[in-house]
Amino acid sequence: MPNYEVDTIGEFTSACDSMISSKYILVDKRLGDVLKSIASTRQVFNLISECMVNFSFERELEIATNRMGRLTLPEEPHKAIAFIFCLLNLLDDKKINFNQFLNKYYSNDENGAGPYATFCNQVVLRFKNLIVSILIGAPEPKIVKVEETEKKENSNISQEVCDRLLFLAKDYKSYVHGVKKLKRSKCTRSELQDQVQAFIVAVENKHVEYMYALILGIKYSVGKEKELLRRLVEIEDIVLGILDQVKAQKI
């Protein structure tokens, strides 16, 4: 993992700090700002994408909630990052009621700070600190040259191809939304939607290096849903074509 300067991820850290220091009444805006900062901060987005590969939120949630009235985050840094990212998305999408969630897991705080402040200090702050420590504290390669090369490669990808891929991905997400239950899958429909959304963000930002990994994760999560597998074929073919194009540019 490259070693970045703090100011390169400043939008993300500022959004987290604002959420931590704000009041619960502003939670919708602050939470939305954190998620937007992730999508627009390349280094943070790339790290989270790595953490999401082969990650099962449903499995980790069972472990995290096995103690009554307490949420225990995963100890492993990459699992904790993926877990918190999924949790924040579910809260933002209103798939988890934030007020009920706080009352269930953070109402018994001993320091008297209140459920929301306790949640921010234990979850949002850890999320920020883990990401900062991984991005800032690792050995440094020739980062400027790498970023310039990736930018040039990504910019050479046909916009027409990206538009087609984005259309298919959004259509795929809509179809997933209509599926009641995934057959023979260890993943829930909500988790699959999160994976597809991560892929959509990757396409929108032309993050080629993570597209195929996300496709593999989606394919694993689909289970035995034949229609979902069928619809994934063209998407995967396009991604493989893009990867071949990028490899050809390096020769």
Side-chain angles (χ1 to χ4, degrees), residues 11-38 88 91-92 94 98 116 119-120 124 127:
E11 182 180 352
F12 167 73
T13 57
S14 294
C16 289
D17 288 340
S18 294
M19 183 170 179
I20 293 167
S21 62
S22 70
K23 302 296 183 182
Y24 178 62
I25 192 172
L26 298 173
V27 65
D28 288 343
K29 178 177 180 359
R30 298 307 185 201
L31 181 53
D33 288 344
V34 170
L35 295 175
K36 288 176 184 176
S37 74
I38 292 171
L88 295 180
L91 290 169
D92 183 60
K94 304 296 190 295
F98 212 148
Y116 177 69
F119 166 81
C120 286
V124 181
F127 186 56

Side-chain angles (χ1 to χ4, degrees), residues 16 19-22 24 27 30-31 34 71 73 83-92 96-99 101-103 105-109 111 113-128:
C16 289
M19 183 170 179
I20 293 167
S21 62
S22 70
Y24 178 62
V27 65
R30 298 307 185 201
L31 181 53
V34 170
L71 185 76
L73 298 176
F83 182 89
I84 295 171
F85 176 69
C86 291
L87 176 62
L88 295 180
N89 270 287
L90 291 172
L91 290 169
D92 183 60
I96 294 179
N97 183 289
F98 212 148
N99 190 52
F101 176 81
L102 292 177
N103 288 333
Y105 297 111
Y106 294 96
S107 60
N108 295 322
D109 60 300
N111 57 15
Y116 177 69
T118 303
F119 166 81
C120 286
N121 287 324
Q122 293 182 6
V123 179
V124 181
L125 182 60
R126 187 182 180 199
F127 186 56
K128 170 197 163 186

Side-chain angles (χ1 to χ4, degrees), residues 27-62:
V27 65
D28 288 343
K29 178 177 180 359
R30 298 307 185 201
L31 181 53
D33 288 344
V34 170
L35 295 175
K36 288 176 184 176
S37 74
I38 292 171
S40 61
T41 306
R42 179 184 178 84
Q43 297 91 333
V44 176
F45 175 84
N46 288 351
L47 172 59
I48 294 176
S49 295
E50 288 181 3
C51 296
M52 288 294 295
V53 175
N54 296 326
F55 175 79
S56 172
F57 178 74
E58 184 178 40
R59 181 172 62 248
E60 294 300 327
L61 182 62
E62 289 181 4

Side-chain angles (χ1 to χ4, degrees), residues 54 195 211-221 232 236:
N54 296 326
Q195 292 181 61
M211 288 183 187
Y212 192 60
L214 290 167
I215 286 296
L216 290 178
I218 292 170
K219 184 184 291 187
Y220 173 80
S221 300
L232 198 59
E236 184 176 11

